[in-house]
Amino acid sequence: MARFLSKAGLITLAMLIATSYPVAAYPAAAQGNDTAVRDINKIEVNERQLREAVASRTLTWLTGSSSNNDHISVGRMANFFGFVGLRVGSGHSLTRSDVANDTLAVLNDAQRASLIALLESQITPFKQVQTARLAMNRALEGLLVDEPLSEKDFLELGRAYGSSEALLGGVIAQKLGDVAQTLTTEQKAALIKIRAAHIAGKGHEIERSKLKLKIPREQKQELVNIAARFLSWTTGTPQYNDFEVVGKPSQHFGFVSLRKESNHGVKRGDVAKAVMQMLDTQQIKRLDASSAHNVKAFDQFLNARAKLMRSLEVALSGDVISHDDVSKFGSLVGEIEASMTWAQATAMLQVRNTMSDAQTVNLLKLRNQYVAAEDASMPFDSAERGRQLYAQCALCHNAANLQASGPNLEGIVGRDIATEPSFEGYSSALKAYADVGRIWSEAVLDNFLRSPRALVPGTYMGFDGLEQERDRAAIITYLKSL
């Protein structure tokens, strides 16, 4: 069982670290270490937390969309620089913007210009990471609509993602290391003092004036991210860089989006508890099995990640990073993370395929407590949107689920209403509606999808409907392709 330091003990530990290891001077014993030294205060990720993660993702993945799954929190991409450890060590009292502002105020014009130049040089590798991550997300969503995908192929996608993310980290690490080499003794002391104040929960006491940097507005958030990482990486130690939380591996299932929609009011534990209360014993066992797998895999993930960290940290001593090592270790990290993701996805699919009508209705109701309207300003891909929406339809209209509460939708466009031979659970209301010889024409489907209960009062359909005409058109187009 993990032991936890008191807040006073944690602050003392932080001060010892800050004073024992000056900026850009990592302990020699940590360099090349194959084992993660992540425990900044003996906090361990355990099976209960991993169980909560997969339970909460059961809600967000089975009821969400691609836009939900694609959302990723600020700083999560190439998160190799100890900021998560710093935030946890501070008791979550710091903000990224305050740390960044304090750091930029210490740097001189040339050093700030170097960080700003990094914003441009990381654009191409950043896009490569995004592309690799989206490929994983689309492959996972294909599972929801019964598209074939082997575990081997998915792990290969994970390796590509891990390698590209690590190479992005290498670009950032090299530049941060180069800037660290130019710090004066006074600057180093000032940065260490800033770190100590934030980790002691006293960052608000730092006198600060906001710098007015002439950069495009869209670059400012990423500069904040880079500057905060510069502080956490150059004043920290390997144990901070190795620290990671339960939400990072497998961030492909839309929980970050749900948290954003709720204005960060939703708690993973609360969502997990609500979901688990809906499930039966066998369904819970399936999620538990994936959690047990991920407990072992998480340690492997951390140790592989430690190798990657050590290969990046050489930049703090003025050395050139080996991109071959970074790519190799990144691929390994990505493969292990993908195996964790696969275990969760297959478990969630098994749960979905055994859900009853009441369970699916309750899951959708729970989602509706947090759901926000789609952003109409986002680019709209009709074919992809139809696929996303059908993934939600598959909660009930799923041929693999023997308890499916809705008929198979293959070939529905142009079919006589309420005539799917393999389904016997049609409501009397829908049968009566069908008695006048109606078929599921595109026009009728559009009206039904707008509001099922308005068109057919008394229908068993638990779905409230789609307000957006383009969404209805997208899903009808997808249905025609089945």
Side-chain angles (χ1 to χ4, degrees):
M1 188 69 177
R3 293 182 299 166
F4 292 80
L5 292 178
S6 65
K7 180 66 176 178
L10 184 55
I11 293 171
T12 301
L13 173 63
M15 295 299 290
L16 284 172
I17 291 170
T19 55
S20 298
Y21 303 122
V23 174
Y26 276 73
Q31 297 179 2
N33 190 349
D34 289 345
T35 303
V37 287
R38 65 179 294 272
D39 302 325
I40 57 171
N41 60 347
K42 300 297 183 182
I43 297 175
E44 298 287 353
V45 171
N46 55 40
E47 188 167 355
R48 177 188 61 79
Q49 292 172 313
L50 289 168
R51 186 177 188 242
E52 288 182 350
V54 69
S56 60
R57 290 164 177 164
T58 298
L59 170 69
T60 56
W61 192 48
L62 297 185
T63 64
S65 67
S66 291
S67 60
N68 300 133
N69 300 336
D70 291 348
H71 187 82
I72 192 168
S73 51
V74 175
R76 272 299 175 189
M77 210 166 279
N79 182 36
F80 307 136
F81 302 99
F83 188 79
V84 171
L86 178 63
R87 172 168 280 168
V88 172
S90 74
H92 298 269
S93 65
L94 59 81
T95 66
R96 195 181 299 269
S97 58
D98 282 348
V99 173
N101 191 69
D102 296 340
T103 301
L104 291 169
V106 169
L107 303 183
N108 60 37
D109 288 342
Q111 292 161 342
R112 286 193 289 265
S114 292
L115 296 189
I116 292 172
L118 175 57
L119 302 180
E120 295 293 334
S121 58
Q122 72 173 9
I123 288 177
T124 296
F126 190 90
K127 288 181 178 178
Q128 291 170 342
V129 180
Q130 286 182 312
T131 298
R133 181 173 181 270
L134 295 182
M136 293 183 73
N137 286 0
R138 299 296 84 81
L140 287 170
E141 290 157 11
L143 293 175
L144 290 170
V145 294
D146 298 322
E147 293 175 0
L149 177 67
S150 70
E151 181 177 6
K152 179 182 178 181
D153 287 344
F154 185 70
L155 294 186
E156 188 58 39
L157 290 175
R159 289 178 63 83
Y161 174 43
S163 175
S164 61
E165 186 175 33
L167 289 171
L168 170 61
V171 171
I172 298 170
Q174 193 69 68
K175 177 60 70 175
L176 297 187
D178 292 345
V179 175
Q181 298 304 305
T182 69
L183 293 171
T184 66
T185 301
E186 290 76 15
Q187 286 177 314
K188 292 177 183 179
L191 291 174
I192 289 173
K193 186 177 180 180
I194 290 169
R195 181 190 185 93
H198 280 289
I199 209 165
K202 297 182 179 180
H204 62 282
E205 297 180 5
I206 297 176
E207 293 185 11
R208 58 177 62 96
S209 57
K210 191 171 183 179
L211 289 171
K212 295 182 179 180
L213 300 175
K214 295 182 179 180
I215 62 174
R217 179 177 296 179
E218 61 271 16
Q219 291 187 339
K220 288 183 178 179
Q221 184 181 51
E222 187 56 27
L223 180 60
V224 164
N225 186 29
I226 290 295
R229 286 171 164 180
F230 184 81
L231 184 283
S232 62
W233 201 46
T234 58
T235 62
T237 60
Q239 66 170 330
Y240 278 87
N241 301 338
D242 286 349
F243 187 82
E244 191 50 278
V245 293
V246 68
K248 171 56 175 79
S250 308
Q251 197 175 93
H252 302 281
F253 298 112
F255 186 80
V256 173
S257 178
L258 184 70
R259 178 165 280 166
K260 181 182 178 182
E261 289 174 348
S262 70
N263 196 27
H264 297 275
V266 62
K267 295 181 179 179
R268 189 185 298 276
D270 291 343
V271 174
K273 182 179 179 181
V275 171
M276 297 297 268
Q277 288 175 342
M278 297 178 191
L279 305 182
D280 62 33
T281 302
Q282 291 303 314
Q283 291 165 341
I284 291 173
K285 283 183 178 180
R286 289 186 172 95
L287 297 188
D288 285 346
S290 74
S291 302
H293 169 276
N294 283 358
V295 167
K296 296 178 181 178
F298 195 79
D299 284 338
Q300 296 170 355
F301 164 79
L302 291 173
N303 287 330
R305 189 175 178 276
K307 296 178 182 180
L308 174 59
M309 296 300 96
R310 304 298 84 81
S311 68
L312 296 175
E313 288 161 4
V314 301
L316 284 170
S317 300
D319 295 332
V320 176
I321 293 170
S322 167
H323 291 288
D324 288 343
D325 285 349
V326 167
S327 179
K328 177 178 67 175
F329 296 141
S331 293
L332 179 59
V333 171
E335 180 179 344
I336 297 170
E337 184 173 357
S339 76
M340 299 172 69
T341 302
W342 181 265
Q344 294 181 67
T346 52
M348 287 187 277
L349 284 172
Q350 289 171 347
V351 168
R352 185 198 70 174
N353 292 344
T354 60
M355 291 184 77
S356 67
D357 185 23
Q359 286 176 316
T360 56
V361 168
N362 287 334
L363 200 66
L364 289 167
K365 285 182 178 178
L366 180 61
R367 174 74 190 210
N368 287 338
Q369 295 178 21
Y370 307 107
V371 72
E374 291 288 328
D375 185 353
S377 68
M378 294 293 288
F380 188 81
D381 183 330
S382 182
E384 182 59 34
R385 180 61 173 159
R387 181 173 176 268
Q388 296 168 22
L389 292 167
Y390 184 76
Q392 297 174 54
C393 298
L395 265 172
C396 300
H397 300 274
N398 178 11
N401 184 357
L402 298 178
Q403 302 182 63
S405 55
N408 190 335
L409 297 182
E410 292 183 9
I412 190 173
V413 181
R415 187 169 72 201
D416 290 343
I417 294 175
T419 59
E420 166 57 40
S422 64
F423 184 74
E424 299 178 352
Y426 289 110
S427 65
S428 56
L430 190 63
K431 290 178 180 178
Y433 183 80
D435 275 347
V436 294
R438 290 189 174 93
I439 66 169
W440 285 121
S441 66
E442 293 185 38
V444 172
L445 278 169
D446 181 73
N447 286 330
F448 188 70
L449 289 170
R450 180 188 292 113
S451 177
R453 287 184 289 275
L455 183 66
V456 185
T459 179
Y460 292 155
M461 185 87 157
F463 181 60
D464 289 335
L466 295 170
E467 293 183 5
Q468 297 291 328
E469 180 180 357
R470 65 179 189 174
D471 282 346
R472 299 194 300 274
I475 195 168
I476 290 170
T477 299
Y478 186 83
L479 289 171
K480 288 166 65 178
S481 74
L482 296 179

